[in-house]
Amino acid sequence: MLSLRSFLVASGLPLLLPLVTGSPVVPRYFQRSLFSRGNISVNTVEAELGAQLSSGSLIFGPDDPLWANATSRFDTLVRPDVQVVVEPATEADVSKIVTYCNENSFEFLVRNRGHGITTSLSAFSGIQINMEQLNGVDINADEGTAVLQGGTFARDLVPQLWDAGYVTTTGASPCVGILGPALGGGYGRYSGLYGLALDDILHYNVVLANGTAIGVNETSHPDLLWALKGAGHNFAIVTSVVKQIYPKEIDTWHYHSYVWTQDKLETVFEALNVFHKSDNGTTPPKMGVNYGSIIMNTSVSTTEAVLEWSFYYAGPADEAEEILEPFNAIGAVAEDVFDASYPEVSTLTDGNCQGAPIALASVLTVEYNVTAERELYDLYVANVAQYPELAATAYAWHEGYATAGYQAVPSDSTAFPHREENHIMFFATVVPDGSGLLDAANAWAKDSRDIWNAGQPDRLPAVYVNYAAGHDYETLESIYGYESWRLDRLRCLKADYDPQNRFRFYNPIVQG
Ligand SMILES: Cc1cc2nc3c(=O)[nH]c(=O)nc-3n(C[C@H](O)[C@H](O)[C@H](O)COP(=O)(O)OP(=O)(O)OC[C@H]3O[C@@H](n4cnc5c(N)ncnc54)[C@H](O)[C@@H]3O)c2cc1C
Ligand SMILES: *[C@@H]1O[C@H](CO)[C@@H](O)[C@H](O)[C@H]1NC(C)=O
Ligand SMILES: *[C@@H]1O[C@H](CO)[C@@H](O)[C@H](O)[C@H]1NC(C)=O
Ligand SMILES: *[C@@H]1O[C@H](CO)[C@@H](O)[C@H](O)[C@H]1NC(C)=O
Ligand SMILES: *[C@@H]1O[C@H](CO)[C@@H](O)[C@H](O)[C@H]1NC(C)=O
Ligand SMILES: *[C@@H]1O[C@H](CO)[C@@H](O)[C@H](O)[C@H]1NC(C)=O
Ligand SMILES: *[C@@H]1O[C@H](CO)[C@@H](O)[C@H](O)[C@H]1NC(C)=O
Ligand SMILES: *[C@@H]1O[C@H](CO)[C@@H](O)[C@H](O)[C@H]1NC(C)=O
């Protein structure tokens, strides 16, 4: 459904709308680079930018029926101040939008699927560039690649490739963008075989901070290629990528989930540590991931938390069950087992797509510390008793992706600094509106994170850039790497490619 305004832009008709809200009409040549227009109004942007964009592009403000979806956030505690939404219909439009913003000193921010969870996004105020129309997928079977536009997302891409006989690396969740995760890493069910989502991107078409469009690959701007692979949100807008794809090889994945009572906690984590080294020192590459939570399941107990774990295997049940034998032996109170196509298995994590005000803190670790996990459990049940309003949604989440694919890539070859780590963990809870429990929830998250970090006393705290929540205790080094050359190099590249720090809203390398 298009509003009248959207329609006018879409049809490319010249607009004769008045300039409003006191935006001074100053000839461009009088403007200094940091000239400020004051308020941004949708009418102004339509009048000035609309006619430059290709037909099908949209420009709209808060009165438009499209606004609510276009500005929705997975985590509603993340509050960028979006004044106008611009939705480019072609990649070439992106350059024009950025140039327009620069000429008028409007800030711009890409929104892909709105699942970015860092509160650093709340510092933004300006024009949001929505990517949903840039969702083209072009498979080149001869080359073993696909061209993906910058707004493609897993829910569309995974079945599209599968039906054509291919898979590629993406985030594991159907609701996140491809590039959102890939700019900072991109863990998914194919990481064990093919690496992170960024590892098989061969070429990027990007728009730089000054509006210039360039191609980036090993022979064209290789320095920027390095930065896009791990710190990409700080450097450019990606309008499309050339990504490797792989023949799917199998028809079904095997799924097996378990619910264990808390008395099994030590046994479970010991078994997981063995399992994650069981294939010649690494996680069996086809056991794409196992996810597990310490969580309340009131059908088991109203006072004790349980462990809920699920395993995903790229292959037949008999192969998978052989590897899962130690977990079958533990004795679960409930299990679920089936085989399904990859697109079907991918949508099993659909349940986590729904947004809410969510407090969260995360860590990366090399292995599970059983003592620390028991402490985490004790903290969890104590807080469940103290904060019944949080108990229904609070969980301590553990991810065990297969790592062989991404650990085969040399650490210094990309800006992604965390190839050594095997696990991502986070605590998350919905903070019900009006509950007044935001501080309590944040403290619970931080205490969980501190317990996990204390469980690896020989390592410095590490955070996945895409799970960083914007807390002041998440240092730049913990996100972008402790080797001093990493941040040095990123800052040098920032000075070259984004000297005015236009890209500074997603866990920024350079503040302000
Ligand atoms: C429910 C859920 C599931 C998740 N699952 C996974 C997972 O399986 N694996 C994983 O690795 N991570 C996962 N994450 C973390 C995820 O990587 C980040 O939340 C990511 O930012 C989401 O991208 P998005 O496009 O949905 O979000 P957005 O908020 O739209 O994008 C986040 C930021 O990325 C930048 N950006 C996005 N697209 C572009 C582009 N084309 N060009 C330039 N900049 C761009 C912008 O700075 C934007 O602010 C998950 C997060 C959630 C909330
Ligand atoms: C911006 O908008 C607000 C509210 O509409 C108004 O009070 C203010 O004067 C405007 N500022 C400028 C610089 O136009
Ligand atoms: C908003 O998104 C929801 C869920 O995807 C969809 O059902 C609805 O039609 C969308 N609304 C508009 C106005 O596009
Ligand atoms: C690298 O990028 C340049 C610039 O876009 C392009 O001309 C060239 O074909 C690319 N090379 C490869 C191997 O993709
Ligand atoms: C196991 O790992 C060692 C050391 O990394 C390597 O040399 C050997 O080839 C591996 N064996 C198999 C079967 O993968
Ligand atoms: C909760 O436990 C019951 C067994 O008592 C199980 O059937 C159910 O699947 C569990 N719920 C979740 C969400 O795992
Ligand atoms: C495990 O965690 C405990 C509690 O924080 C800590 O004392 C211990 O040193 C950790 N063990 C290892 C091997 O790191
Ligand atoms: C845009 O920025 C790039 C990288 O800094 C630079 O090489 C290029 O010359 C700039 N283009 C213009 C038109 O200023």
Side-chain angles (χ1 to χ4, degrees):
M1 186 177 15
L2 297 184
S3 69
L4 176 61
R5 286 172 189 167
S6 309
F7 170 74
L8 288 173
V9 174
S11 63
L13 293 173
L15 296 170
L16 296 171
L17 298 169
L19 298 177
V20 294
T21 62
S23 315
V25 185
V26 180
R28 291 282 148 84
Y29 52 82
F30 284 143
Q31 295 175 12
R32 290 180 298 119
S33 67
L34 287 175
F35 172 81
S36 173
R37 297 278 303 264
N39 292 343
I40 307 173
S41 92
V42 68
N43 290 356
T44 308
V45 178
E46 279 168 351
E48 297 175 354
L49 177 64
Q52 295 179 45
L53 302 183
S54 40
S55 83
S57 299
L58 301 176
I59 297 173
F60 53 89
D63 297 338
D64 196 287
L66 296 171
W67 181 261
N69 280 5
T71 57
S72 71
R73 306 278 338 163
F74 170 79
D75 189 340
T76 56
L77 297 177
V78 173
R79 296 190 187 103
D81 172 25
V82 180
Q83 300 186 332
V84 173
V85 170
V86 181
E87 207 179 285
T90 68
E91 292 181 47
D93 290 326
V94 175
S95 233
K96 292 175 186 158
I97 298 165
V98 169
T99 301
Y100 170 75
C101 288
N102 287 340
E103 283 176 351
N104 293 285
S105 293
F106 296 152
E107 300 293 351
F108 54 86
L109 174 72
V110 166
R111 179 187 187 277
N112 205 323
R113 287 289 147 181
H115 281 66
I117 49 175
T118 175
T119 53
S120 66
L121 289 166
S122 303
F124 171 76
S125 177
I127 292 180
Q128 181 172 279
I129 304 173
N130 277 35
M131 301 295 278
E132 31 274 82
Q133 289 193 46
L134 299 180
N135 61 359
V137 175
D138 193 4
I139 296 172
N140 185 341
D142 292 342
E143 303 269 327
T145 60
V147 180
L148 314 179
Q149 283 192 310
T152 49
F153 77 126
R155 193 192 304 286
D156 286 348
L157 178 67
V158 166
Q160 224 171 319
L161 285 182
W162 185 262
D163 291 347
Y166 295 98
V167 296
T168 192
T169 56
T170 64
S173 170
C175 45
V176 292
I178 303 300
L179 262 309
L183 289 168
Y187 295 88
R189 294 185 184 84
Y190 278 102
S191 292
L193 296 170
Y194 310 124
L196 302 170
L198 58 73
D199 285 325
D200 50 18
I201 296 179
L202 305 173
H203 175 94
Y204 295 75
N205 290 312
V206 305
V207 171
L208 298 174
N210 63 8
T212 302
I214 60 169
V216 179
N217 55 45
E218 272 176 14
T219 51
S220 171
H221 301 277
D223 54 349
L224 184 57
L225 180 71
W226 180 85
L228 288 176
K229 294 192 170 207
H233 318 84
N234 277 270
F235 284 94
I237 299 177
V238 180
T239 59
S240 58
V241 295
V242 180
K243 200 169 189 306
Q244 233 167 303
I245 57 175
Y246 310 89
K248 69 183 168 100
E249 284 177 358
I250 52 167
D251 290 323
T252 56
W253 277 61
H254 183 67
Y255 173 88
H256 194 157
S257 69
Y258 307 82
V259 179
W260 288 298
T261 48
Q262 61 83 18
D263 55 303
K264 307 292 201 305
L265 182 144
E266 282 77 9
T267 316
V268 169
F269 282 101
E270 277 158 15
L272 285 166
N273 280 338
V274 172
F275 160 77
H276 280 292
K277 294 196 184 97
S278 63
D279 192 318
N280 199 17
T282 188
T283 307
K286 289 187 187 174
M287 192 66 82
V289 69
N290 64 82
Y291 295 124
S293 285
I294 295 173
I295 192 167
M296 293 308 292
N297 180 331
T298 49
S299 80
V300 180
S301 165
T302 54
T303 53
E304 291 190 345
V306 297
L307 289 89
E308 285 182 1
W309 235 268
S310 52
F311 291 78
Y312 296 79
Y313 186 80
D318 55 344
E319 264 178 46
E321 289 301 328
E322 202 174 309
I323 301 173
L324 291 173
E325 182 40 44
F327 299 99
N328 293 334
I330 294 172
V333 290
E335 290 177 61
D336 194 8
V337 185
F338 58 83
D339 296 85
S341 74
Y342 184 56
E344 286 172 272
V345 156
S346 299
T347 55
L348 289 178
T349 33
D350 245 358
N352 67 10
C353 293
Q354 205 58 42
I358 294 167
L360 180 148
S362 74
V363 300
L364 286 160
T365 66
V366 170
E367 64 179 0
Y368 294 124
N369 179 319
V370 178
T371 312
E373 292 294 338
R374 176 55 72 183
E375 285 176 21
L376 186 80
Y377 175 87
D378 291 342
L379 170 77
Y380 183 94
V381 290
N383 277 333
V384 161
Q386 191 173 351
Y387 305 112
E389 279 179 274
L390 302 181
T393 56
Y395 63 111
W397 177 257
H398 301 71
E399 301 187 341
Y401 287 100
T403 57
Y406 73 77
Q407 289 179 345
V409 177
S411 172
D412 61 2
S413 69
T414 69
F416 179 79
H418 296 304
R419 294 189 188 271
E420 219 177 278
E421 289 87 342
N422 296 310
H423 301 298
I424 318 173
M425 287 97 94
F426 63 82
F427 171 85
T429 183
V430 173
V431 186
D433 286 327
S435 66
L437 290 173
L438 180 58
D439 288 347
N442 276 326
W444 189 349
K446 180 172 187 302
D447 290 346
S448 302
R449 172 240 185 219
D450 289 346
I451 287 173
W452 274 316
N453 281 332
Q456 46 174 10
D458 301 334
R459 296 180 56 83
L460 293 163
V463 184
Y464 175 33
V465 64
N466 286 329
Y467 285 18
H471 300 301
D472 52 11
Y473 53 78
E474 293 164 338
T475 64
L476 279 182
E477 287 78 8
S478 69
I479 296 173
Y480 293 107
Y482 287 94
E483 305 100 315
S484 60
W485 59 267
R486 285 190 179 275
L487 275 166
D488 288 349
R489 190 165 173 186
L490 288 170
R491 288 183 179 120
C492 281
L493 288 166
K494 238 351 226 182
D496 282 351
Y497 285 102
D498 183 15
Q500 311 232 356
N501 205 11
R502 293 280 181 209
F503 297 106
R504 67 167 185 283
F505 302 106
Y506 194 90
N507 299 322
I509 291 162
V510 178
Q511 300 298 322

